[in-house]
Amino acid sequence: MQKKKILVAPLNWGLGHATRCIPIITALNKAGYTPVIASDGAALNLLKKEFPALQHFELPSYNITYTKKASFFLAKLFLKSSKIYKNITLEKKATQQLVAKENISGIISDNRMGVFSNSVPSIYVTHQLNVLSGVATGITSTLHKHYLRKFNECWIPDIATEPNLSGKLGHLKSSSNLNLKYIGPLSRLSIKKTPVIYKLLVILSGPEPQRGMLEEILLKELEGFPEKVLFVRGVIEKEQTHQQKGLLTIYNYLTGSDLEKAFCESEIVLARSGYTTVMDLAKLKKKAFFIPTPGQPEQEYLAKKLANENIAPFAKQNDFKISMLSQVENYKGLNCFRSRLSFISLFKCFERK
């Protein structure tokens, strides 16, 4: 009997959407399905490296980049709204072609609003039921829910009750007409018993130019740092590169077991406060320091939420000094909230006639 093909399509906005799809893809394989991957840019390149044996297809790109000045980002996003809408239409067309040509039996879309089909069960994965965008939050959240209703189910990688990781991002006062399922935090990482080698692990990600701007700030701040640091730039390239500068070890990227090993061998993690990173650190019960991406309300909200709950400190990008890492010891660190839902029960949606 031929295995059912399930299309998995993460948004290419940083690497978080792609990396949190890794445990879903792995679970699909174990459950007897054949995952088919579709995305673009760095997200697609990462999943090709993680799952080289699977089929991969390129979807139309949103081409979302940040501005150098955080205050301009939302204005730029608004000006590009017609292009984003056009892209959703293009990826919807591409999805219909893939479903027909590849005999797709189901879809799991991580924040790609055009990747759905009326002919097969279509699942939407998001932690942002409320899309924070300053004064436009009401509009962006309403638009997001409009597209969300086109899917058969919406999976939220968090738990429904308090305490939780996503706060108001992933929880609505009213969820009428939305088939929501809280599936618990998603992470491809696991705790491994290993000696701590690095005082600090720096994990960078996200669109340019802000990723590169933070890299420049941190490398300057780390000059003369007296303990071992592992610095992962978050740049997915054809070949992995490695540099050693005194106590500083630099990689362009790490994947799979190498990334897991890096987390487990490090005492403190310095990273963006993207939700996927928060889930990874919670799974590993790590202490962290966050620098939210300037102009991204979601990350700014998460950083403030975690600080207010005495979980992890944060600083604005241009305010950060390496001496601020000493604040970490005054915070309790992250911890994972587990869900009773299993992938086997979730995948039953693909068995419906």
Side-chain angles (χ1 to χ4, degrees):
M1 182 177 177
Q2 189 176 9
K3 293 181 178 180
K4 287 186 176 183
K5 289 185 175 182
I6 308 299
L7 184 68
V8 182
L11 180 66
N12 177 37
W13 188 332
L15 298 176
H17 296 282
T19 56
R20 73 185 186 191
C21 282
I22 290 173
I24 294 176
I25 295 168
T26 301
L28 284 168
N29 262 323
K30 289 182 178 178
Y33 297 95
T34 299
V36 176
I37 296 168
S39 189
D40 66 283
L44 182 59
N45 291 336
L46 174 69
L47 293 178
K48 281 181 178 179
K49 292 179 183 297
E50 290 281 353
F51 303 100
L54 296 182
Q55 280 184 294
H56 302 81
F57 295 94
E58 186 168 4
L59 292 173
S61 175
Y62 284 77
N63 288 319
I64 297 172
T65 56
Y66 283 95
T67 52
K68 286 190 175 181
K69 289 190 176 181
S71 57
F72 293 163
F73 175 64
L74 291 177
K76 181 180 179 181
L77 201 60
F78 177 77
L79 292 172
K80 280 195 167 187
S81 57
S82 61
K83 186 176 180 180
I84 292 172
Y85 176 78
K86 182 180 178 181
N87 193 86
I88 292 170
T89 303
L90 289 173
E91 68 179 8
K92 182 179 178 181
K93 182 179 178 181
T95 300
Q96 305 315 311
Q97 292 172 346
L98 275 174
V99 168
K101 183 180 177 182
E102 298 299 325
N103 192 27
I104 299 296
S105 297
I107 293 171
I108 299 175
S109 168
D110 190 323
N111 275 261
R112 296 197 82 118
M113 292 175 280
V115 181
F116 69 92
S117 172
N118 293 325
S119 60
V120 299
S122 298
I123 310 302
Y124 192 73
V125 180
T126 187
H127 65 278
Q128 289 194 81
L129 299 174
N130 289 308
V131 182
L132 304 186
S133 54
V135 294
T137 293
I139 297 172
T140 52
S141 297
T142 299
L143 285 172
H144 195 212
K145 290 166 197 169
H146 165 73
Y147 282 103
L148 199 155
R149 288 186 180 94
K150 297 178 184 293
F151 291 79
N152 299 98
E153 295 179 5
C154 176
W155 295 352
I156 302 100
D158 200 357
I159 62 171
T161 56
E162 293 184 350
N164 55 63
L165 291 177
S166 64
K168 68 181 181 182
L169 294 174
H171 299 80
L172 298 173
K173 292 180 180 178
S174 173
S175 57
S176 58
N177 301 322
L178 297 175
N179 189 4
L180 306 180
K181 287 190 175 180
Y182 287 86
I183 66 173
L186 287 173
S187 176
R188 78 277 200 208
L189 305 176
S190 298
I191 296 175
K192 304 291 182 186
K193 289 186 178 181
T194 180
V196 172
I197 296 174
Y198 303 99
K199 176 67 175 181
L200 178 66
L201 169 63
V202 177
I203 295 284
L204 298 186
S205 64
E208 300 292 357
Q210 291 293 341
R211 188 215 60 81
M213 292 168 69
L214 180 57
E215 178 181 339
E216 186 177 345
I217 290 169
L218 294 181
L219 287 176
K220 185 175 181 181
E221 282 293 318
L222 285 167
E223 288 177 2
F225 191 72
E227 299 186 71
K228 285 188 175 182
V229 177
L230 181 56
F231 196 108
V232 183
R233 300 176 57 233
V235 179
I236 305 298
E237 297 172 320
K238 188 175 181 180
E239 301 293 335
Q240 186 185 66
T241 61
H242 165 255
Q243 301 177 57
Q244 191 69 45
K245 297 181 177 180
L247 296 174
L248 179 64
T249 304
I250 304 174
Y251 283 93
N252 53 347
Y253 70 87
L254 290 175
T255 59
S257 59
D258 289 335
L259 184 61
E260 183 177 76
K261 185 169 179 282
F263 272 103
C264 293
E265 290 180 343
S266 302
E267 182 180 336
I268 299 170
V269 178
L270 173 61
R272 294 294 195 195
S273 49
Y275 189 64
T276 300
T277 301
V278 170
M279 288 193 293
D280 285 339
L281 293 172
K283 177 74 175 292
L284 299 175
K285 300 182 180 180
K286 281 289 179 180
K287 288 205 165 191
F289 191 104
F290 292 115
I291 303 177
T293 301
Q296 189 167 337
E298 171 216 352
Q299 289 195 15
E300 292 168 348
Y301 165 75
L302 285 172
K304 290 176 183 176
K305 174 185 182 294
L306 296 171
N308 289 337
E309 293 171 357
N310 196 38
I311 291 173
F314 78 97
K316 292 182 179 180
Q317 183 165 294
N318 291 333
D319 295 339
F320 178 75
K321 299 295 179 185
I322 202 68
S323 59
M324 291 180 176
L325 290 180
S326 62
Q327 298 173 20
V328 172
E329 65 184 35
N330 298 321
Y331 290 76
K332 60 186 179 183
L334 288 108
N335 204 340
C336 196
F337 304 104
R338 301 194 179 278
S339 169
R340 293 181 181 178
L341 283 175
S342 70
F343 280 118
I344 296 298
S345 63
L346 290 171
F347 295 159
K348 285 182 180 178
C349 62
F350 301 126
E351 301 304 319
R352 297 170 190 160
K353 298 295 184 182

